[in-house]
Amino acid sequence: MKFSTEWIEKGPNASEEERATLCDLRIFVGEKNACHFLAPEAGSTFDCVTVPAVHLAEGLVTDWWSIFGGRDRTYQIRRHRTGFVLPDLVFRCDGSTFETLGNQLFYDNPKVRFRKLEKEDIPRDEAEAALADFIGNVVTRLYSSGLNQSETVLRWSRVSDSRDDPDETAFCEAAGALGADPYTIPDHAAQLIERAGEMFSGEALIEFLAGLGKTEQPALILDWVRQVEKRPRRASCLPDLPAIAAEIGSVAQSKPGERGWAAGYRAARALRTALDLPAYQGMTLENFAARLGGDKFEPAPDVNGIHALVSRSNDEIHIHLRERGAADWAQKPENFAFARAVGTALFFRDGRRSVVNDLRHAERQATGRAFSAEFLAPVECVLDMLDNGQNVNEISNVFHVSPWVVEHQIENQKRIQEATS
């Protein structure tokens, strides 16, 4: 991703900020120019949009921490068009990878059409550098025009100071995970971050906060964490898991430029090999826990907003799996959530705690979900059973998973095979 601005002098705009930042803007996603558009009535195409860059820059700097702290949250730049034309570029950050894609977009006034662009995945630090470079160029332009008290200038100065302080960065990104502005955050939200920060750290903290979503009483989840960790050791400890993690550790690593879910698929196969599981053998939760040394494993009390907690203590790994009301704890949803927690324990060894929650596009959650699906329902077995006339429901019963797991394995068969080849 790259921003290109060709400044236009003495523009006709009424606003000083708009005059100072009027430019021909191009935004490149991969090798494609997202600002290339068709004007049907003119019968012509154009390779840039002429806009005051200040509005887009102000929007990006205002939402900086939400862009990089949010996980399932998507960010559209056209929300900052302010009466001008912008392409429908969408951003999303999963923690380490920054996704950018361009949707096809039609405007009626003026009548223009932007084409669809393929998704580009780049490392988060490259995305930060690209956005910071664009904002910095706009700020420099405002400074040179004597507009050093512009809201964009002042806000970028504050964000830049925060980025230079690791502790401040951690707090600001945590606020962004909650969807809050770190500089005007309500006291109750700041207190929640402080309390959560005592239990989680780094990306585990961000995913915990981002996963709270519409949880009405998020503090209850933190109380739950404290309570379940006081349970008898036998109820949650998986004594054999640390040694297995060390054995397959090299497999449970992403390759340069690779998404976490790819390594998740490989580690799932490695774990089945390490446990000497027959190809077509399904795993109930009780059997799975027992194979990891947890023959006395028990579910934790029910709570909203979290599926499982992974805790590390004294070189031991504990999994606290939320029980769903009065349901049998060996039912299929719990089986899948338990496998996700095992995947989290295998992959993410930093920090004392991690959670399994409903986030779809957070790195840890996506990796754990891929691991769980391939471990419980190996895609090659699924495809072979389909070829032999078994349907999705029959296959899901064999592997003790929900039908949607089998359906997703079928849908993702190409990328699973590429990741594991």
Side-chain angles (χ1 to χ4, degrees):
M1 181 173 61
K2 181 181 179 181
F3 290 73
S4 170
T5 51
E6 292 185 15
W7 304 113
I8 298 173
E9 304 295 340
K10 299 180 179 179
N13 308 67
S15 162
E16 285 186 282
E17 291 183 335
E18 290 188 351
R19 285 199 303 274
T21 61
L22 188 65
C23 69
D24 288 336
L25 176 66
R26 298 172 181 85
I27 307 174
F28 294 92
V29 178
E31 300 298 322
K32 301 294 184 181
N33 178 11
C35 292
H36 182 276
F37 68 90
L38 169 68
E41 292 183 346
S44 301
T45 59
F46 300 85
D47 72 344
C48 65
V49 291
T50 302
V51 297
V54 64
H55 300 302
L56 177 55
E58 182 176 351
L60 292 173
V61 71
T62 298
D63 297 331
W64 182 274
W65 299 112
S66 181
I67 292 171
F68 290 103
R71 288 298 172 261
D72 279 3
R73 197 177 304 131
T74 55
Y75 189 84
Q76 293 177 291
I77 70 167
R78 67 187 178 96
R79 59 190 289 195
H80 304 302
R81 56 185 297 258
T82 320
F84 297 87
V85 170
L86 284 175
D88 189 19
L89 278 186
V90 179
F91 300 153
R92 182 167 56 209
C93 182
D94 77 352
S96 64
T97 302
F98 193 85
E99 301 177 2
T100 305
L101 61 87
N103 295 318
Q104 184 171 244
L105 178 64
F106 296 85
Y107 283 102
D108 286 329
N109 183 24
K111 289 189 178 298
V112 299
R113 184 180 71 191
F114 290 92
R115 61 183 173 176
K116 181 178 180 179
L117 298 181
E118 294 299 320
K119 181 168 67 73
E120 179 189 40
D121 293 342
I122 61 175
R124 170 185 167 154
D125 58 350
E126 291 185 16
E128 286 199 47
L131 295 183
D133 182 65
F134 168 69
I135 295 168
N137 287 337
V138 174
V139 166
T140 298
R141 186 76 178 176
L142 292 168
Y143 256 111
S144 65
S145 299
L147 300 172
N148 58 340
Q149 293 302 304
S150 164
E151 180 62 30
T152 305
V153 172
L154 298 176
R155 177 78 180 199
W156 183 237
S157 176
R158 193 167 190 181
V159 170
S160 297
D161 288 344
S162 296
R163 293 178 71 207
D164 289 337
D165 183 329
D167 291 337
E168 185 75 7
T169 295
F171 176 81
C172 290
E173 191 165 323
L178 288 175
D181 183 341
Y183 308 118
T184 59
I185 190 169
D187 288 342
H188 68 87
Q191 291 167 4
L192 175 63
I193 292 172
E194 181 178 0
R195 189 179 173 199
E198 295 172 354
M199 300 184 187
F200 301 95
S201 61
E203 184 60 22
L205 173 62
I206 301 304
E207 290 197 8
F208 171 76
L209 294 171
L212 293 178
K214 297 180 181 179
T215 304
E216 293 183 0
Q217 294 180 297
L220 292 180
I221 299 179
L222 296 175
D223 292 337
W224 180 88
V225 170
R226 293 296 192 199
Q227 291 169 4
V228 299
E229 289 186 333
K230 295 177 181 178
R231 296 191 304 151
R233 173 182 175 277
R234 67 178 184 275
S236 60
C237 184
L238 302 174
D240 299 340
L241 187 52
I244 293 174
E247 178 183 344
I248 66 174
S250 60
V251 178
Q253 298 292 328
S254 296
K255 299 175 183 177
E258 182 181 62
R259 301 299 294 272
W261 46 257
Y265 292 131
R266 291 196 298 274
R269 296 190 175 189
L271 181 59
R272 288 189 72 95
T273 299
L275 296 179
D276 196 24
L277 293 180
Y280 293 86
Q281 179 176 326
M283 291 290 288
T284 64
L285 174 55
E286 183 176 18
N287 289 339
F288 193 0
R291 280 183 172 269
L292 299 176
D295 55 355
K296 301 296 184 181
F297 186 86
E298 296 177 2
D302 189 25
V303 68
N304 290 324
I306 189 174
H307 297 297
L309 171 74
V310 179
S311 298
R312 298 177 181 276
S313 176
N314 300 323
D315 297 323
E316 293 182 341
I317 296 176
H318 296 255
I319 290 179
H320 304 278
L321 183 69
R322 160 200 168 188
E323 184 177 35
R324 294 171 183 262
D328 178 2
W329 62 271
Q331 283 185 348
K332 296 171 186 176
E334 283 76 6
N335 191 31
F336 191 76
F338 180 81
R340 287 179 62 191
V342 170
T344 297
L346 290 173
F347 278 88
F348 306 107
R349 307 180 196 183
D350 57 316
R352 184 177 174 186
R353 300 178 181 89
S354 296
V355 297
V356 173
N357 59 25
D358 285 325
L359 290 176
R360 300 295 302 177
H361 299 283
E363 180 183 27
R364 292 173 179 240
Q365 307 305 321
T367 300
R369 197 174 282 110
F371 169 87
S372 181
E374 181 62 12
F375 177 82
L376 294 175
V379 70
E380 291 178 355
C381 298
V382 168
L383 296 177
D384 185 50
M385 294 168 77
L386 280 175
D387 289 341
N388 288 324
Q390 292 178 269
N391 61 38
V392 167
N393 287 331
E394 291 170 333
I395 296 171
S396 69
N397 287 332
V398 169
F399 290 117
H400 305 285
V401 296
S402 298
W404 72 264
V405 174
V406 175
E407 291 169 352
H408 278 275
Q409 286 293 87
I410 297 169
E411 178 184 340
N412 294 326
Q413 58 181 285
K414 182 177 179 180
R415 74 177 191 176
I416 297 172
Q417 291 163 348
E418 289 176 349
T420 55
S421 62

